[in-house]
Amino acid sequence: MRILRRLSGFSNRLLKVESCSITASESLIQLAWISLTQKLRKPPGVFSTMPETETNERASELFLPPTHVRGMTKLDRTSFKKTVTIPVLKVRKEIVSRLMRSLKRAALQRPGIKRVIEDPEDEESRLIMLDPYKIFSHDSFEKAELSTLKQLNVNPQISKYNLELTYENFKLEEILKAVLPEGQDVTSGFSRVGHIAHLNLRDHQLPFKHLIGQVMIDKNPGITSAVNKINNIDNTYRNFQMEVLCGEENMMTKVRENNYIYEFDFSKVYWNPRLSTEHSRITELLKPGDVLFDIFAGVGPFAIPVAKKNCTVFANDLNPESYKWLMHNCKLNKVDQKVKVFNLDGKDFLQGPVREELMQQLRPSKERKHSVHIVMNLPAKAIEFLSAFKSLLDGQPCSSELLPIVHCYSFSKDANPAEDVRQQVGAVLGISLEACSSVHLVRNVAPNKEMLCITFQIPAAVLYRHQTINLENHEDLPLKRRRTDKAFSEEKTQIASNT
């Protein structure tokens, strides 16, 4: 607090530069002490996990907004003014460009602040602003930096400068950390969906929701609307209610994912940008000529990339809005001739169009080399729909290598989520999948809640009428692979480290 009081004493002064020896500069010595203590103290969490608001591990009190903004619920940008003392280096203006290439590490980097400014006392000189947590004396420069200074005949003497910070100079996480209640968790995340920032605010953040929405828009170029989800995705059409916190009411948006363009009304359909990697993973499993049945297709993130691989796609969604935008996006990405679109309940789609096509694809007399894949991305309920495969087909079974491959998504809160999903699927199908399924961890949805994808071939004994279960044949399926607890744990750790 003593340091902050000393720094705040500059707030009513005019900006000025003072040449000083480092031994006489108490402020810079204090900055050096702060730098050391910051290395030993892990900073508290920040609000967003998105790349544009990445945590600055070396953030400190010097560059936090003034303390009087704590508890602010209506954004007042003028209240964020603050004056701090930073080190500067005086150089001849003609060598600035050459010198800056060598001082990238040492130069100050703050939003909206020029690193090089005019010297108010000498028009032939310039002042290079330095990072006070890296440079506080000439001894703080690295050997290569000192060598460059010597070559360019620059005196490494440090001066101090009174810098006024405003709202524009603070980062999003710094503002929210200063405004929200001290001691409470301010960590949260948001998803970017075109021009929309989609937040999931916690209860203690709700009194500040409009301020948070405005700061989101201010600090993220291209974001013009901030919304908060106010219920879970538990309705028939998989969309959720949302509240516009700040900005445009327009929910019509355009996103680019894996080089494909999708347009839709975000308030009426389901879209999750965190599933981009999963969409690519499944797409890579299919080869040209394969057939895909997308049971819960949404606006097309699986169907369209697969169709682009010259595969035949049957895509379905119960939500009329998703159906509309699915057809639109197929045309937009020029795959409408390769995708057959349906607007049916998932069970009706399986027992109708899927059954009819499988009867054609799996005829014993029909020779084919392509595979049939079925994607069921409805994690909350997809496993329930697996019962539709029981005795779905009549006639003589096809060879085991031609049986459809299912990719079924689910949530699990179990301590062993992979085993939990296997058991759930096995209970619905009436057969064990221990030896012939693969479970992939998609992402961590919430504390102790995982989203997973189980992949397996539908056993002939399940798919065809009047068949008996033969475990030996079942275990010899091409997808025979059991994920050990150790392997699954390693994958979970890897995903956590990438989040």
Side-chain angles (χ1 to χ4, degrees):
M1 293 302 296
R2 178 169 174 260
I3 297 171
L4 288 177
R5 285 196 296 270
R6 296 184 69 87
L7 292 176
S8 63
F10 294 107
S11 59
N12 297 321
R13 303 181 191 177
L14 295 176
L15 300 184
K16 64 179 180 178
V17 182
E18 299 178 10
S19 180
C20 62
S21 65
I22 192 62
T23 56
S25 177
E26 182 181 357
S27 296
L28 295 181
I29 292 175
Q30 290 171 338
L31 291 177
W33 180 83
I34 296 175
S35 178
L36 177 61
T37 59
Q38 289 301 314
K39 292 179 181 179
L40 301 176
R41 183 178 65 187
K42 184 177 180 181
V46 296
F47 183 81
S48 175
T49 58
M50 294 295 284
E52 56 265 35
T53 56
E54 183 178 358
T55 304
N56 181 355
E57 293 288 342
R58 308 189 65 165
S60 70
E61 294 180 353
L62 182 64
F63 287 117
L64 283 181
T67 57
H68 62 255
V69 302
R70 178 79 65 194
M72 178 186 293
T73 57
K74 184 177 180 180
L75 183 62
D76 179 8
R77 297 178 181 85
T78 62
S79 296
F80 286 81
K81 291 183 179 180
K82 176 182 180 180
T83 302
V84 297
T85 301
I86 63 169
V88 293
L89 183 67
K90 182 174 181 177
V91 302
R92 303 186 310 278
K93 65 180 182 179
E94 63 268 17
I95 66 169
V96 168
S97 297
R98 284 182 289 169
L99 185 57
M100 286 303 295
R101 287 194 291 268
S102 300
L103 294 183
K104 288 182 179 180
R105 179 198 70 89
L108 178 67
Q109 298 186 32
R110 296 294 304 172
I113 292 180
K114 295 180 179 180
R115 292 185 291 178
V116 180
I117 61 173
E118 293 183 357
D119 185 348
E121 299 177 354
D122 183 0
E123 63 180 18
E124 297 301 316
S125 298
R126 295 292 182 265
L127 301 177
I128 298 178
M129 296 194 182
L130 303 174
D131 187 334
Y133 297 100
K134 295 178 182 176
I135 305 296
F136 43 89
S137 77
H138 70 275
D139 293 330
S140 304
F141 288 112
E142 293 182 346
K143 185 176 181 180
E145 294 167 342
L146 286 172
S147 177
T148 301
L149 293 176
K150 184 176 180 180
Q151 291 175 11
L152 297 175
N153 195 27
V154 176
N155 185 347
Q157 181 183 14
I158 299 298
S159 302
K160 59 183 180 180
Y161 182 81
N162 295 339
L163 173 67
E164 183 179 73
L165 301 174
T166 65
Y167 174 80
E168 286 71 25
N169 306 135
F170 295 109
K171 301 176 183 179
L172 180 147
E173 63 268 19
E174 294 168 340
I175 292 173
L176 297 180
K177 181 180 175 183
V179 170
L180 270 64
E182 189 173 11
Q184 289 191 3
D185 179 21
V186 299
T187 304
S188 186
F190 73 94
S191 299
R192 182 165 186 163
V193 184
H195 68 280
I196 303 166
H198 169 215
L199 297 87
N200 295 319
L201 296 181
R202 299 171 184 175
D203 289 343
H204 69 271
Q205 297 168 336
L206 293 178
F208 307 89
K209 61 185 180 180
H210 297 297
L211 179 145
I212 292 171
Q214 183 62 69
V215 177
M216 281 285 176
I217 293 175
D218 290 347
K219 298 300 179 179
N220 291 281
I223 294 290
T224 58
S225 181
V227 303
N228 181 43
K229 184 174 76 171
I230 57 177
N231 73 332
N232 293 324
I233 303 174
D234 56 3
N235 59 24
T236 303
Y237 294 151
R238 292 186 74 200
N239 55 2
F240 51 81
Q241 294 180 345
M242 63 179 69
E243 176 187 13
V244 178
L245 303 178
C246 188
E248 300 177 4
E249 297 279 344
N250 176 27
M251 294 294 104
M252 287 294 303
T253 190
K254 176 189 292 188
V255 299
R256 180 181 292 273
E257 180 185 273
N258 301 325
N259 296 320
Y260 300 101
I261 297 175
Y262 302 90
E263 295 179 342
F264 48 85
D265 185 336
F266 185 53
S267 66
K268 296 179 180 180
V269 304
Y270 176 79
W271 179 268
N272 190 338
R274 292 185 173 94
L275 295 179
S276 172
T277 301
E278 185 63 12
H279 298 151
S280 293
R281 186 182 73 87
I282 296 297
T283 301
E284 291 173 0
L285 297 178
L286 280 81
K287 298 179 175 61
D290 285 353
V291 177
L292 173 69
F293 296 99
D294 193 350
I295 313 302
F296 313 105
V299 299
F302 284 115
I304 289 171
V306 169
K308 275 288 188 181
K309 295 186 73 171
N310 200 28
C311 296
T312 300
V313 178
F314 297 78
N316 172 74
D317 203 282
L318 177 62
N319 184 350
E321 284 290 321
S322 296
Y323 171 75
K324 179 181 76 174
W325 291 109
L326 173 59
M327 290 193 296
H328 172 82
N329 290 323
C330 285
K331 292 181 180 178
L332 185 64
N333 291 277
K334 300 179 180 179
V335 295
D336 49 304
Q337 299 303 311
K338 299 177 182 178
V339 182
K340 297 180 181 180
V341 182
F342 299 85
N343 181 208
L344 299 170
D345 175 78
K347 185 175 181 180
D348 294 336
F349 180 55
L350 285 165
Q351 295 180 338
V354 174
R355 178 184 182 278
E356 293 174 6
E357 186 63 25
L358 286 179
M359 290 292 292
Q360 297 298 318
Q361 292 286 338
L362 304 182
R363 285 181 300 175
S365 60
K366 183 176 180 180
E367 294 184 5
R368 65 178 178 85
K369 296 182 179 180
H370 62 265
S371 300
V372 175
H373 292 255
I374 301 173
V375 171
M376 305 177 70
N377 183 22
L378 185 64
K381 296 183 177 181
I383 289 179
E384 300 174 15
F385 286 82
L386 292 175
S387 62
F389 288 115
K390 298 173 72 172
S391 301
L392 182 65
L393 304 183
D394 297 312
Q396 185 69 22
C398 66
S399 59
S400 61
E401 66 269 14
L402 300 180
L403 290 167
I405 302 168
V406 174
H407 311 278
C408 182
Y409 291 84
S410 180
F411 295 130
S412 177
K413 295 183 178 180
D414 194 84
N416 188 339
E419 191 63 26
D420 176 46
V421 170
R422 279 197 187 93
Q423 290 180 0
Q424 290 185 54
V425 173
V428 172
L429 296 179
I431 188 170
S432 174
L433 295 176
E434 285 293 315
C436 57
S437 63
S438 167
V439 179
H440 172 73
L441 177 61
V442 178
R443 69 186 188 98
N444 177 258
V445 177
N448 302 317
K449 184 178 181 180
E450 313 291 348
M451 178 178 175
L452 309 100
C453 176
I454 181 169
T455 296
F456 60 94
Q457 280 188 295
I458 309 174
V462 172
L463 189 61
Y464 288 88
R465 295 180 189 273
H466 312 302
Q467 298 297 311
T468 58
I469 295 177
N470 186 324
L471 290 179
E472 289 186 2
N473 292 338
H474 179 52
E475 291 181 356
D476 286 338
L477 294 177
L479 280 181
K480 178 182 178 182
R481 179 164 71 107
R482 180 171 182 175
R483 294 290 297 273
T484 65
D485 291 341
K486 180 180 179 181
F488 189 84
S489 177
E490 290 174 351
E491 183 177 22
K492 182 176 179 180
T493 301
Q494 182 62 36
I495 286 184
S497 66
N498 293 336
T499 302

